[in-house]
Structures are given as structure tokens and as C-alpha cells.
Amino acid sequence: MDIGLLSVSVNVYSTRRIVEEAQKLGHYIEQIDHTKCAVKLGKGRPQIFYQGQNITNVFQAIIPRIGTTVTKHGAAIVKQFQMNGVYSVAEAQSITTARNKVQTLQIMARKGIAIPDTLFSISPDNIEEQIDILGGMPIIIKLQEGTQGLGVILAETKKSAKSIIDTFYKMNTSILIQKYIEESKGEDIRLFVIGKRVVASMKRTSAPGDFRSNVHRGGATEIIEPTKTEKFMAINATKHVGLDIAGVDLLRSKNGPLLIEVNASPGLQGIEAATGLNIAREIVLYVEKNGGLKK
């Protein structure tokens, strides 16, 4: 197959690993920096250009690895590939939905998937009331479109929470606030879903002095065996967002697992290291099976 890997750099671990495994399986794969792609609309069929070359009909399938800061442009490029008949493991709308935490949690709540008590508002006039609705302190404050633990703050007092929330509101920054799940003890679990299977799972534990468990923030990882309930939640969350491949993050609470995020471009470095599994190969095999023939 001819595969386009939409990523800003081949030096990114996940990008490099997918390229390696695709080549081992005999596929042509090319890293395409989607931030440098342009779409020409007008007379005739829309065309996609990259470094001066028309790549509209080059690939049978694409694997999007879209960064947070370029979500809208990246999703637009993915959408154009889709409209031109190219298979994508992540549809444009699903990428933008997964990137927005509120939209994701709204879908989960509607589908009956357990999530932490969450509140979002744009009013700076009733911050104390918002905190009380969640049951008081402490609370978690999150940017609606943060990633890798960035824009996630633990506020332990009302004074600090009001100051942080008020600052975000004045900056016109979209946030949400969540009840702090104390019994999770700075741990969460990441389930890596491909198709209708959980292919790998790990527990992430926060670094000393930090409550965030993300690997990019220095958290430790270890392989785990998720429960049937956790697998069911992860597979259904991925399906409800509309993704073929996702990293699903859960907290283990005293009332059972709670979903906190669905990641459309899950990193491979931490989970491959923790589990010893070749997840990059699983991704390529899935594309191979589902990509079909170039139209």
C-alpha cells in the first residue's frame, strides 16, 4: 500500500516507529507535514499540494498524527483526503471532537459511560457557586483542548481555584472543572484501542510532587491487565467518538472506572516501553486490512 503519515516530523518517536513497521511490512510510507499542505479549491476536483507537488492521488490511506496547536488545519487536510476517496484511520470530525474535552465528555455522558463530575461555564461571576456544585475542594481545572498533561491544574483551596479560574476567564480561555478523585492517588490507566480491540494497557503514576500521571510529565508506567468493564468502556468510547484508533484514559475510583479522555493521536513511546508490545506494527496491520484499494 501507499500510505501517507500526517506528522510534523519523522523524528517524533511515534512517527518513526510507524514508518519503520510499515516499511518492514513492504509498504511505501511517506511522512507528510500537514502544516505545510495546501488545498486548492475551485474549478475541477479539489487538489492537495505539499512542497509544490500535487499529492491528491498519491496515497491509498493516511494515518493522521495531528498536534493540538494545528487541529483545525490538520483536520481540514484530513477531510480533503477523505472527500477525495482516501481511507483515514481517523476522520476529520472525530479528530476535532476528541481534541475538545467538553464535547467528548458530553458524548460519554449521553452514552452512559461514567465520567468524573464535570462543570463548564464561561461566567466569572459565580465561580464559588460552580465549586460548590462539584462538592467543594479540591478540584481539577483543565483547558478544554490541552494534551500531555499541559493545562491541567489541581486547586486545593477555594482562594486558589477562584484566582486560577478568574484568570482563565479573563483570558477568554475555555476551561472545565472536575471533581478531584482522591482515591486515584495520582494514577490513571491508558488503554490503546485499535478497531474493536484493546491491544495494550498500562498504568501511569505521577512523578513525586505532581498529581499528573502523563509520561511526558515524568510519570512512571507499568503494564496492567484491565478489567472487562474497563475494556468495554474504552472500546465503546472509541466507537462513540468515531475513531478507529485511540488512547483512552481512565481513573479507577471507589465507584468504578471513570473516563477522562479519548486521544485521537495517542503516543507510542510510553506504552510500547511499558508493555514490550509492537503497537506500531498493529496500527499498520489495521491500515493494511481496512485501507482497501486506491480509488
Side-chain angles (χ1 to χ4, degrees), residues 33 36 59 119 142 148 167 174 210 275 280:
D33 184 347
K36 297 177 181 178
F59 306 113
L119 187 147
K142 295 182 178 182
Q148 296 178 353
T167 299
S174 297
D210 194 347
T275 63

Side-chain angles (χ1 to χ4, degrees), residues 167-293:
T167 299
F168 279 132
Y169 283 157
K170 287 178 179 177
M171 293 171 61
N172 197 30
T173 301
S174 297
I175 64 168
L176 58 83
I177 58 177
Q178 286 184 328
K179 182 178 180 64
Y180 177 58
I181 309 302
E182 186 174 3
E183 62 269 25
S184 67
K185 299 177 182 177
E187 296 179 348
D188 70 9
I189 60 173
R190 160 64 62 88
L191 283 70
F192 205 105
V193 178
I194 300 179
K196 297 179 180 179
R197 296 189 302 131
V198 173
V199 299
S201 306
M202 67 176 175
K203 180 171 72 174
R204 304 182 296 192
T205 304
S206 61
D210 194 347
F211 76 98
R212 299 169 299 180
S213 55
N214 301 72
V215 176
H216 290 85
R217 308 268 70 80
T221 62
E222 63 179 277
I223 189 171
I224 62 159
E225 178 58 37
T227 66
K228 290 182 179 180
T229 298
E230 290 164 347
K231 288 181 180 179
F232 180 82
M233 285 179 67
I235 291 168
N236 278 279
T238 301
K239 180 184 71 174
H240 294 323
V241 175
L243 295 167
D244 288 355
I245 296 172
V248 180
D249 297 338
L250 305 175
L251 292 177
R252 287 174 164 171
S253 78
K254 59 187 178 183
N255 296 316
L258 302 172
L259 184 141
I260 52 174
E261 190 169 353
V262 179
N263 193 318
S265 299
L268 301 182
Q269 187 168 11
I271 199 159
E272 284 197 337
T275 63
L277 298 173
N278 190 339
I279 300 170
R281 181 182 176 87
E282 293 289 335
I283 291 172
V284 177
L285 289 173
Y286 185 82
V287 174
E288 184 180 285
K289 179 180 178 182
N290 293 276
L293 299 174

Side-chain angles (χ1 to χ4, degrees), residues 80-98:
Q80 194 58 62
F81 273 115
Q82 289 179 252
M83 293 177 74
N84 288 358
V86 178
Y87 168 75
S88 175
V89 296
E91 295 190 354
Q93 182 58 54
S94 299
I95 293 170
T96 57
T97 298

